[in-house]
């Protein structure tokens, strides 16, 4: 392997460029018209244009990507996450084109692509799954009969599901028919398949996942867990390793279960087994993600193992030199910095990044695909960057994350930075008392938290100076209506002080 084409964009594309460079491999970026000036394009050794901005016309065009690899003489393709990473047909097409696929075999992707097939595989290998069925439901009566056996509430799930689509919680028999119909319709629309099955709805579980690495010579190891319970609408927002709820015995048991699933699927390369961990410490296998995960850096931080380098080394045929018994060292945490306005329902924000100060200092890692001057569009995922910290203990990791978030400054669009600051200050989060519903329960008090007094004062002073300058610049004799006034509407859109001033009603200051 000499030259790797990276079929992705943003922070993960840059992450892979860096791994290639450290291993002495060439790197080739691909890009859409919206990304012609993007960081991943500038940082890679070479770059190939795919097409217009929409993903369907660029990053999802597998045949163009394979042709690009051939044209520049790349001998491997790394898919990153999202886009084509878990498409069996693409893994197959790459192999058929005699290129190295930096990922699991197409057969393993297929084996894990259906939730019901993955459940059956887990059951056959003695890995606990949430009680429920593995066959598609035929009728609401059948579903109600099964729910009576397990007890309500139950969860209807699309077999082909992903991203939380086609899921419905059913709390009693009267809601079964309409919920089943809704889940089937959603699944048909999203995945072209209306197979829906039923499982017991677990109350108050954590989302804990196990990272595995498997080489091409039969060795498969677990690298421990990640706690990903801080979720909004099934989207992870903050991840950490280890989990506050996992001790060495549980880690070993979950790790062994993950390795059994991976081996049963004929897995190779990096993968993740997702589990629900119930309050009584019983764990249930949910599904396997057959790719590198967004949150992989927290595992890298506590194990010292470079997962993306190992993806490339495994694909090139190297043997894994370590075993499963790696104890996590210290504590790592990741905040996903997105272009979303948490105070307004996480509304996506687009625009040009006018200014950016990147956090640094001890134990801080910044993985990002954007910088000052970058245009952020609504075409792609809103994640701008990942801020990762490491410290000896969880409390110190939280303090360090707070300090790093404090240093982070992004002007030009709304970001989730302040939301993350409030989470780091939250006493339940600090105690580790989190489950997958925690954020939804806590959201209102988190995003509604009052701004610190000194910030409000600074915003008031800035608004007053702005109003005064505006008054002086106004030509004598002209009316406010003709020139605009210093009232609310004319405060500059993108300045954080102006936003705060508007929120606090300080325009008359
Ligand atoms: P998807 O592939 O659509 O993301 P998952 O099976 O991974 O679906 O489930 C998504 C999320 O839904 C999980 O992370 C968890 O928060 C919640 N969830 C899934 N199954 C259950 C269950 N049986 N009980 C309670 N919550 C569940």
């Amino acid at each position: 392997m000499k030259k790797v084409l990276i079929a992705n964009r943003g922070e993960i594309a840059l992450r892979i460029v860096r791994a290639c460079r450290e291993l002495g491999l060439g790197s080739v970026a691909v890009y859409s018209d919206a990304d012609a000036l993007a960081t991943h394009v500038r940082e890679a050794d070479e770059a190939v244009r795919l097409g217009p901005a929409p993903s369907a016309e660029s990053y999802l065009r597998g045949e163009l990507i394979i042709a690009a690899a051939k044209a520049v003489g790349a001998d491997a393709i790394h898919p990153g996450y999202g886009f084509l990473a878990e498409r069996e047909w693409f893994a197959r097409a790459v192999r058929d084109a005699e290129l190295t696929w930096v990922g699991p075999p197409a057969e393993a992707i297929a084996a894990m692509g259906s939730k019901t097939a993955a459940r059956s595989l887990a059951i056959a290998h003695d890995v606990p799954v949430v009680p429920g069925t593995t066959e598609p439901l035929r009728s609401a009566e059948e579903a109600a009969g099964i729910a009576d056996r397990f007890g309500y509430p139950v969860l209807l799930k699309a077999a082909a599901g992903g991203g939380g689509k086609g899921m419905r919680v059913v709390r009693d028999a009267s809601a079964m028919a309409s919920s089943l119909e809704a889940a089937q319709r959603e699944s048909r629309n999203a995945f072209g398949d209306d197979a829906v099955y039923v499982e017991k709805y677990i109350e108050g579980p954590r989302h804990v996942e196990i990272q595995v690495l498997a080489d091409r010579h039969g060795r498969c190891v677990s690298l421990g867990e990640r706690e990903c319970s801080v979720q909004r609408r099934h989207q992870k927002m903050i991840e950490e390793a280890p989990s506050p709820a996992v001790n060495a015995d549980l880690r070993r048991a979950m790790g062994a279960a993950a390795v059994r699933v991976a081996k049963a699927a004929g897995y190779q390369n990096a993968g993740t087994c997702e589990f629900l961990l119930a309050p009584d410490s019983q764990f249930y296998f949910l599904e396997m993600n057959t790719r590198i995960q967004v949150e992989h850096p927290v595992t890298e931080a506590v194990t010292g193992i470079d997962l993306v380098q190992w993806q490339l080394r495994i694909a090139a045929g190297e043997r894994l030199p370590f075993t499963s018994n790696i104890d996590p060292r210290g504590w790592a945490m990741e905040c996903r910095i997105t272009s979303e306005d948490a105070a307004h329902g996480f509304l996506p924000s687009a625009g040009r990044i006018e200014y950016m100060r990147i956090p640094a200092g001890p134990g801080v890692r910044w993985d990002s695909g954007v910088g000052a001057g970058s245009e952020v569009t609504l075409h792609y995922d809103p994640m701008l960057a990942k801020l990762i910290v490491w410290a000896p203990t969880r409390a110190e990791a939280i303090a360090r994350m707070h300090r790093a978030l404090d240093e982070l400054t992004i002007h030009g669009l709304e970001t989730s930075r302040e939301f993350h600051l409030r989470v780091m200050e939250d006493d339940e989060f600090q105690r580790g008392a989190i489950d997958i519903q925690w954020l939804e329960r806590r959201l209102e008090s988190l995003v509604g938290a009052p701004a610190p007094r000194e910030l409000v004062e600074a915003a008031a002073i800035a608004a007053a100076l702005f109003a005064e300058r505006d008054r002086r610049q106004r030509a004598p004799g002209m009316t406010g209506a003709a020139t605009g006034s210093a009232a609310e509407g004319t405060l500059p859109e993108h300045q954080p002080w102006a936003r705060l001033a508007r929120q606090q009603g300080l325009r008359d200051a």
Side-chain angles (χ1 to χ4, degrees), residues 115 130 155 157 161-165 167 199-202 205 207 231 234 274 276 286-287 436-437:
K115 286 186 197 296
V130 183
L155 187 62
K157 271 187 168 180
K165 289 208 183 75
M167 284 193 346
E199 43 180 68
K200 172 115 191 84
Y201 183 73
I202 311 284
H207 174 116
Q231 300 183 354
H234 305 305
E274 296 191 330
L276 287 179
L286 272 186
E287 63 174 344
I436 59 173
Q437 284 112 26

Side-chain angles (χ1 to χ4, degrees), residues 144 148 152 170-177:
D148 278 338
Y152 287 91
V170 186
R171 300 222 165 250
D172 58 69
S174 70
M176 185 59 88

